[in-house]
Amino acid sequence: MKAFRILGRNIRDSFKSVFRNFSLSLASISCITITLIVMSLAIILSYNVNNFVELVERDVTIVAFLDNDVTDEEVDVIRDSIDSLGYIDTVTYSSKEEVTTEIKNSSETFSNIMASWDETDNPLQPTFQVKVTDIDQIGNIADEIKNMENVDIVKYGEGMIEQLVKVFDTVRKVTIGIVIALVIVTAFLIANTIKITIFSRKREIEIMRLVGASNTNIKIPFILEGLFLGALGSIIPIVVSVYGYNALYNNFDGQVISPFIKLIAPQPFITLVSLVLLVIGILVGMFGSWRAVRKYLKI
Amino acid sequence: MDLIRIRNVKKQYKNGVIAIYDLSLNIAKGDFVFIIGPTGCGKSTLGKMLYREERPTSGEIIVGGLNVAKLKNRKVYKLRRKIGVVFQDFKLLQKQTVYENVAFALEVLGLPKAEIHSKVLKVLDLVGLKNKAKNYPTQLSGGEQQRVAIARAIVNGPKLLICDEPTGNLDEGTSKEIMKVLEEINKLGTTIIMVTHDTELVERAKRRVILLDSGRILKDYAKGTYRHESV
């Protein structure tokens, strides 16, 4: 009962304090707001880059052209051997006829030319399209498929794919690094801002100690205040992120540059980002207050 | 029955300055004691050690059964709840009303609202500030602010009230008013230790007086024997 009364008063006092020290609170809130906006940009960017990478990687296909005279039994043997390799996602077989129809359907010109072919003229080969789960393994898998019997040529965009993987890997690492660095920098920036605002309330802390407030008793209102500041500071970044991202998504119709590079759908992505921003704001506000007030409790 | 027992206390500051040399002193329950002496004699340090703002380098200080010298930083509040402290600069929260300033001392104890209300009004009545409860400290005179500080110090009924130069910032008339309030509180049973350099005021009070000089007790005057020598 007593503890609840004290906690209730702490919540009331920290609320009051936000408004009584309004100009100082505003300094902390704006600091949190600005850094959270930058952080939100970094998070959105890094997740989207990750998303691009995944989409591109998922789309990379090994095409194995089989010998023209391959029998159905031999096709099954090849399918089984490919399936038994590691890191295989999907294996699709297109017979000579299927390939021919597909190409015929893709363009009228091709269709006209191919109409004149007979069974022996048709140079198209039956193929296996193999998608892999780990793009780093694509070279090895391609080599193994090439060594199988009845496999003529294997193509997967050699050279270009390796380079693409390297670039994406770097981009991914850099964006993750930026987000982590931003979280740390924000925490300390806000801790210092709150430290300055609390410095002006050294006297208040001194008086609290004087009238017999225990250290915990003194810390709680300041930490709660940090919580409120963090929550208030995350409002604008959340609004900006939600509206901004939705507008961006609608503007580009979910696509940037090419159909391969797609933005992440706003839901539930942006809700999660908002939650992350709120939690980071609150934690960082509380951490900042706690660090700052601790300094004045050592006598 | 002694409320305060000080045994062989020595205080040396970190910069090497020795403020108190081997000081021993007993103060009885219900007494009103002045600690006087020239600037730098250690009287403020002695006061600060009693409410554990400073810790003695060696020796023992017992206040109401609590060993103050050994009190951990985390436990200081246990002592502060048993005593009241009043300062020269009042130390009031400027952004809170008189009522809130006084109530603050009870809120940290977690008392119910109704009890806080009646206690605060009672103590404001005692110091004569019942009608200023809703004012802010900046709207009060120095004497009134000091009375608010006294009200805050005694509202939870401490056994001991430590006053560190409470009249230092006030003119003679106001000082007399403050002394009247303190006498009143002492009559109700609270032991009072007052550190001051206002020797005229001390002589008028006719109480036990401890004269410090260079960190030692120069003289311990029994009740009413102190005469202030005008220079």
Side-chain angles (χ1 to χ4, degrees):
Chain A
M1 188 61 205
K2 206 172 102 180
F4 278 118
R5 264 202 303 262
I6 292 177
L7 186 68
R9 277 170 194 148
N10 282 338
I11 293 173
R12 182 205 65 194
D13 286 347
S14 42
F15 232 160
K16 263 195 206 163
S17 173
V18 169
F19 294 100
R20 273 186 171 152
N21 303 291
F22 191 69
S23 57
L24 290 174
S25 303
L26 204 63
S28 303
I29 291 173
S30 356
C31 175
I32 295 175
T33 300
I34 290 165
T35 34
L36 282 184
I37 287 177
V38 177
M39 199 184 289
S40 164
L41 283 176
I43 292 176
I44 289 174
L45 185 70
S46 96
Y47 267 85
N48 271 300
V49 167
N50 260 333
N51 188 46
F52 299 161
V53 174
E54 267 170 32
L55 285 177
V56 170
E57 285 182 355
R58 218 179 294 150
D59 233 59
V60 172
T61 312
I62 300 173
V63 183
F65 296 89
L66 308 185
D67 292 336
N68 240 331
D69 53 2
V70 70
T71 64
D72 287 352
E73 288 79 38
E74 283 164 340
V75 168
D76 285 338
V77 171
I78 296 170
R79 185 199 298 277
D80 288 345
S81 349
I82 293 174
D83 273 337
S84 65
L85 297 172
Y87 306 106
I88 299 296
D89 187 15
T90 58
V91 182
T92 323
Y93 175 70
S94 307
S95 67
K96 193 179 176 101
E97 291 71 33
E98 281 163 348
V99 176
T100 313
T101 331
E102 198 185 320
I103 294 182
K104 269 184 180 167
N105 290 340
S106 72
S107 128
E108 216 173 321
T109 324
F110 283 147
S111 170
N112 287 340
I113 296 168
M114 287 157 81
S116 63
W117 293 351
D118 64 28
E119 199 57 31
T120 47
D121 284 340
N122 190 346
L124 297 171
Q125 294 164 293
T127 58
F128 267 113
Q129 287 114 45
V130 181
K131 294 199 174 181
V132 297
T133 53
D134 184 353
I135 198 156
D136 290 333
Q137 300 296 326
I138 197 160
N140 298 334
I141 294 170
D143 284 345
E144 286 194 50
I145 295 174
K146 184 150 179 49
N147 289 335
M148 288 173 188
E149 244 176 273
N150 297 313
V151 174
D152 186 14
I153 311 167
V154 173
K155 286 209 177 288
Y156 64 92
E158 306 89 315
M160 187 195 120
I161 286 298
E162 274 89 359
Q163 216 168 354
L164 207 63
V165 168
K166 232 195 218 160
V167 170
F168 279 153
D169 214 41
T170 318
V171 172
R172 191 183 349 217
K173 276 179 189 151
V174 168
T175 45
I176 289 173
I178 289 174
V179 169
I180 292 173
L182 265 174
V183 169
I184 295 170
V185 168
T186 313
F188 278 92
L189 200 65
I190 292 169
N192 274 319
T193 313
I194 293 179
K195 217 184 240 174
I196 295 165
T197 65
I198 285 188
F199 177 76
S200 67
R201 291 161 67 190
K202 219 173 132 184
R203 197 183 165 79
E204 200 175 316
I205 295 173
E206 189 192 342
I207 292 169
M208 287 169 111
R209 267 177 77 85
L210 198 72
V211 298
S214 66
N215 285 2
T216 327
N217 220 325
I218 295 171
K219 271 186 229 160
I220 289 173
F222 281 99
I223 293 174
L224 285 175
E225 205 181 319
L227 188 152
F228 288 137
L229 291 180
L232 288 174
S234 62
I235 291 175
I236 295 177
I238 287 175
V239 170
V240 168
S241 304
V242 169
Y243 280 90
Y245 192 74
N246 271 317
L248 186 79
Y249 188 83
N250 292 335
N251 190 29
F252 282 111
D253 218 8
Q255 290 182 10
V256 184
I257 307 166
S258 86
F260 285 119
I261 302 183
K262 279 188 184 125
L263 288 173
I264 302 171
Q267 282 308 339
F269 173 63
I270 207 68
T271 313
L272 286 176
V273 171
S274 304
L275 263 175
V276 166
L277 290 179
L278 180 68
V279 169
I280 290 178
I282 284 174
L283 285 182
V284 149
M286 287 169 77
F287 170 76
S289 297
W290 172 75
R291 259 181 68 100
V293 78
R294 207 181 48 153
K295 216 183 116 194
Y296 298 110
L297 291 176
K298 287 181 196 153
I299 297 171
Chain B
M1 178 70 185
D2 291 330
L3 181 69
I4 299 174
R5 279 193 303 134
I6 302 175
R7 288 279 163 278
N8 308 104
V9 161
K10 182 184 168 187
K11 173 69 190 177
Q12 180 167 23
Y13 283 103
K14 272 182 189 145
N15 59 12
V17 174
I18 299 178
I20 301 281
Y21 293 91
D22 194 31
L23 187 142
S24 296
L25 182 66
N26 284 356
I27 291 171
K29 213 176 231 174
D31 213 349
F32 194 142
V33 181
F34 288 95
I35 298 172
I36 60 167
T39 308
C41 69
K43 58 184 194 295
S44 278
T45 304
L46 181 60
K48 279 181 181 159
M49 284 195 291
L50 287 177
Y51 61 87
R52 178 53 183 74
E53 187 69 27
E54 294 289 349
R55 290 170 93 152
T57 314
S58 63
E60 194 183 61
I61 301 178
I62 311 278
V63 176
L66 260 177
N67 191 343
V68 179
K70 287 217 175 95
L71 202 61
K72 284 201 179 82
N73 191 30
R74 277 184 294 119
K75 306 274 183 188
V76 168
Y77 72 94
K78 289 192 172 173
L79 171 73
R80 301 279 170 88
R81 286 178 184 184
K82 286 187 176 183
I83 63 173
V85 191
V86 176
F87 298 90
Q88 183 170 0
D89 59 352
F90 324 132
K91 293 199 195 294
L92 296 175
L93 295 168
Q94 301 298 326
K95 287 178 178 167
Q96 302 203 359
T97 63
V98 166
Y99 180 91
E100 286 170 326
N101 263 288
V102 178
F104 191 53
L106 295 177
E107 285 181 355
V108 300
L109 302 178
L111 294 186
K113 210 173 171 181
E115 200 180 331
I116 292 178
H117 190 71
S118 72
K119 279 193 173 177
V120 171
L121 290 186
K122 216 169 115 191
V123 79
L124 283 178
D125 196 27
L126 178 71
V127 298
L129 285 175
K130 207 172 182 178
N131 55 339
K132 301 264 170 130
K134 288 202 171 107
N135 289 50
Y136 285 89
T138 43
Q139 299 166 323
L140 303 180
S141 71
E144 285 170 329
Q145 289 191 49
Q146 190 58 293
R147 280 188 278 158
V148 176
I150 293 171
R152 182 183 64 193
I154 61 167
V155 69
N156 61 350
K159 287 186 242 166
L160 173 66
L161 180 64
I162 299 167
C163 307
D164 192 352
E165 304 266 9
T167 59
N169 273 347
L170 306 174
D171 60 48
E172 210 191 318
T174 319
S175 297
K176 277 182 186 167
E177 257 174 55
I178 296 293
M179 282 310 294
K180 222 184 269 168
V181 173
L182 291 178
E183 295 276 0
E184 193 91 3
I185 292 163
N186 182 238
K187 241 181 247 166
L188 295 173
T190 306
T191 311
I192 298 184
I193 294 176
M194 179 161 160
V195 176
T196 184
H197 61 262
D198 186 347
T199 46
E200 283 179 44
L201 179 150
V202 172
E203 188 180 333
R204 274 199 304 273
K206 297 192 171 34
R207 297 287 188 166
R208 183 182 175 192
V209 178
I210 292 157
L211 175 62
L212 291 188
D213 193 25
S214 314
R216 294 185 175 84
I217 296 181
L218 198 64
K219 198 142 188 209
D220 191 344
Y221 297 90
K223 198 174 172 177
T225 60
Y226 176 76
R227 294 289 173 271
H228 128 82
E229 302 120 55
S230 352
V231 184

